[in-house]
Amino acid sequence: MAKAAVRALLLLLHGEERFLVDQKARSTLEAWRSELVSDFGFDRLEGQGLNAGRLQDAVLQAPFLDPYRIVAVNMVPAARAESLAPALADVPSTTRIVITVAGRLSGANRLVKAASAAGGTVEEMQHLRGRALSEWAAKRAQDHGLTPAIAAQVVRVTPPDLSVIDSELAKVAAYKASGAKLTAEVLAELLAGGREDEIFKLTDNLLPRPTPDALKIARGLTRGGAQPTTVAYRMARHVALVLEVRARQDRGESLSEVKANLPEHPFVVQKAFDIARDTDPERLEAALRAIRDYEWEVKSGQIDAELGLDVLLTRL
């Protein structure tokens, strides 16, 4: 009993639903970090390439100014998780640990057993389906200030990906917060629905310069019923994200720091981080101005929205 009383708080998160893994890790770390008085008490480690010796060094360090130390290990590849088990053999009571794993671990996995033996909690995040997905979406909608009815509509027309659903809810909430009237017609236009995969393909082909596939994908979206200005809006969001990531890179922030400070899904931030290295900030700013000018010209009736989108992509 005495030994159990001094064990550290340890949380191991794994599973197929990365959005839930990231969400639980983020909320846990926010709560723990609120009690720290300095930056010395927090150590974030990238799971890719991490070995047991490096993790053990971080775990065994004593707190300097803070009541305890926090060690956050970000997305350990599932295939390499067992190699970190020895680092949890002797966890001080002054260390708190969150480990996230990119994938699912079995109960027989050595890291799972080591975390449990150290008095930690192991949680598996599974894909949500059916009623569980609807209930999750309704709660997220309430967090965004939206109704369960809006959540139900988002779930009906959006792929069952929590990051996509949350992004769509955030987009609707932002539109509502602008003061504009949120009618059924506007909501239908805002939701990307089953075209989300095509939106991702478009943004993948957008920077550093649009590829021929970008024009093809954009035409397919508009001919499939997507509003050209909505497509342009999604392009602007992507460009703005890459611009912000590039600014953080210039300030010396690491990938893990950028992921921790941005609300977008870590996979989206990872891709933006890779693109930002090879992209000129002045070109990104010019792209945002071009998209702004396109939207103004469409709304003022100067150009056709669909043809104007083709021209916009050639200008970018």
Side-chain angles (χ1 to χ4, degrees):
M1 292 297 293
K3 185 177 180 181
V6 298
R7 282 175 175 169
L9 290 171
L10 191 160
L11 180 61
L12 173 61
L13 301 168
H14 68 102
E16 299 172 337
E17 188 49 75
R18 178 162 175 170
F19 185 91
L20 294 179
V21 169
D22 289 331
Q23 188 180 50
K24 180 62 178 287
R26 188 180 302 113
S27 62
T28 300
L29 291 173
E30 286 176 356
W32 288 357
R33 293 189 72 174
S34 66
E35 299 181 31
L36 298 185
V37 297
S38 74
D39 293 333
F40 297 108
F42 183 74
D43 195 356
R44 183 182 292 276
L45 305 174
E46 285 299 323
Q48 188 72 38
L50 182 65
N51 58 49
R54 173 69 182 90
L55 176 56
Q56 188 174 49
D57 287 343
V59 169
L60 294 179
Q61 286 185 42
F64 177 48
L65 299 172
D66 301 283
Y68 50 78
R69 274 177 47 78
I70 300 172
V71 177
V73 181
N74 185 53
M75 287 299 156
V76 177
R80 299 194 65 255
E82 287 193 315
S83 67
L84 300 180
L88 304 183
D90 186 17
V91 180
S93 61
T94 53
T95 301
R96 298 186 179 185
I97 308 170
V98 173
I99 301 175
T100 59
V101 177
R104 181 182 178 276
L105 303 179
S106 70
N109 186 278
R110 284 187 293 170
L111 183 62
V112 171
K113 291 182 176 180
S116 298
T121 300
V122 179
E123 293 188 25
E124 177 185 349
M125 302 301 187
Q126 300 178 345
H127 285 312
L128 300 183
R129 297 178 176 86
R131 182 175 179 178
L133 178 63
S134 298
E135 291 177 348
W136 179 88
K139 185 178 184 306
R140 290 298 292 167
Q142 291 176 342
D143 293 340
H144 286 294
L146 303 173
T147 65
I150 291 177
Q153 185 167 346
V154 171
V155 171
R156 279 197 302 271
V157 302
T158 304
D161 183 314
L162 301 193
S163 62
V164 175
I165 293 173
D166 191 60
S167 177
E168 294 296 271
L169 290 170
K171 179 173 63 178
V172 174
Y175 182 89
K176 180 182 177 183
S178 70
K181 188 174 182 180
L182 187 60
T183 64
E185 292 76 15
V186 169
L187 182 60
E189 182 176 337
L190 285 173
L191 296 178
R195 297 183 295 271
E196 192 67 25
D197 287 344
E198 284 74 21
I199 291 289
F200 287 150
K201 291 177 184 177
L202 174 60
T203 56
D204 280 346
N205 286 276
L206 196 59
L207 296 172
R209 290 180 180 274
T211 67
D213 285 340
L215 183 59
K216 180 180 178 181
I217 296 167
R219 286 176 176 171
L221 283 164
T222 56
R223 291 170 185 173
Q227 292 295 323
T229 51
T230 301
V231 175
Y233 165 76
R234 297 298 295 271
M235 290 164 50
R237 282 181 57 189
H238 180 67
V239 173
L241 173 62
V242 174
L243 182 60
E244 181 173 359
V245 170
R246 177 54 190 266
R248 291 178 178 276
Q249 287 178 338
D250 292 342
R251 293 199 296 268
E253 291 189 21
S254 66
L255 174 59
S256 60
E257 290 173 324
V258 175
K259 285 182 177 179
N261 292 323
L262 291 178
E264 285 78 9
H265 192 279
F267 176 73
V268 175
V269 176
Q270 169 80 64
K271 300 191 75 171
F273 193 91
D274 294 338
I275 294 171
R277 292 194 189 99
D278 303 319
T279 308
D280 181 4
E282 292 185 1
R283 281 192 54 80
L284 295 174
E285 292 176 355
L288 288 175
R289 289 194 296 270
I291 297 172
R292 177 202 61 193
D293 293 344
Y294 159 77
E295 292 184 343
W296 181 81
E297 290 168 353
V298 169
K299 292 177 181 177
S300 62
Q302 298 183 46
I303 62 172
D304 176 80
E306 190 168 342
L307 293 176
L309 185 60
D310 287 353
V311 174
L312 172 63
L313 283 166
T314 59
R315 290 172 60 191
L316 297 182

